Amino acid sequence: MKSTMNLNLLAALDALLAEGSVSGAAKRMHVSTPAMSHTLARIREATGDQILVRAGRRFVPTVRAQEMRAPVRKLVEEAVALLSPGDAGLIHVERTFVVRAPDGVSIVFGAALAGALQEVMPSLTVLVNSRNYERIFSHRR
């Protein structure tokens, strides 16, 4: 790839390969069709490949584009995951939560609640307290 490639083109390339059309990729990326057409031209210049070629009234991917589809998808997914806000701060929080609920609610939802909270806060203790008894669901690693 030439030095004109930038990371923004990867998301556009992913959309073009997934949609198989400039207009479909434009809708997916929330840009105009002419803007996506211009982006396709930039991708073509950067890669030295046509990426999508006309076959009658539609576009078909080139052999190189087909080979690039899975790696480009993986790169875009990894970039999205990397740039998404994480819950890293919750992993190290040690807390105890007390939930007061009637017997039926604590029996039905207590363990599920503790398990769901434990996924984002491994050092969590949930105390489910009902009128007639106390049950502790402790999920510590």
Side-chain angles (χ1 to χ4, degrees):
M1 289 186 192
K2 298 178 184 177
S3 62
T4 57
M5 180 58 115
N6 69 48
L7 295 178
N8 293 326
L9 295 180
L10 284 175
L13 178 57
D14 181 51
L16 285 161
L17 295 176
E19 297 293 330
S21 75
V22 173
S23 61
K27 287 178 186 171
R28 183 174 178 170
M29 297 290 295
H30 306 289
V31 298
S32 68
T33 301
M36 184 55 70
S37 182
H38 177 73
T39 301
L40 175 57
R42 290 176 55 207
I43 291 169
R44 286 173 169 165
E45 181 183 330
T47 62
D49 187 77
Q50 288 296 303
I51 303 300
L52 294 175
V53 293
R54 282 215 177 267
R57 299 185 78 186
R58 61 187 192 99
F59 283 102
V60 294
T62 63
V63 172
R64 180 151 184 231
Q66 290 173 356
E67 292 169 352
M68 294 170 65
R69 182 176 288 156
V72 167
R73 172 90 297 253
K74 183 178 178 188
L75 281 170
V76 170
E77 287 174 350
E78 288 175 356
V80 167
L82 180 67
L83 297 175
S84 296
D87 294 329
L90 296 178
I91 290 174
H92 303 291
V93 173
E94 291 188 28
R95 293 275 165 83
T96 299
F97 290 96
V98 178
V99 178
R100 292 191 180 271
D103 286 342
V105 173
S106 63
I107 291 169
V108 174
F109 296 109
L113 173 65
L117 289 171
Q118 191 271 334
E119 286 183 24
V120 292
M121 297 177 70
S123 300
L124 171 72
T125 299
V126 177
L127 172 66
V128 180
N129 187 348
S130 68
R131 240 181 28 230
N132 298 330
Y133 63 90
E134 260 182 19
R135 181 174 289 164
I136 298 176
F137 298 98
S138 180
H139 293 277
R140 291 188 183 258
R141 290 185 183 190

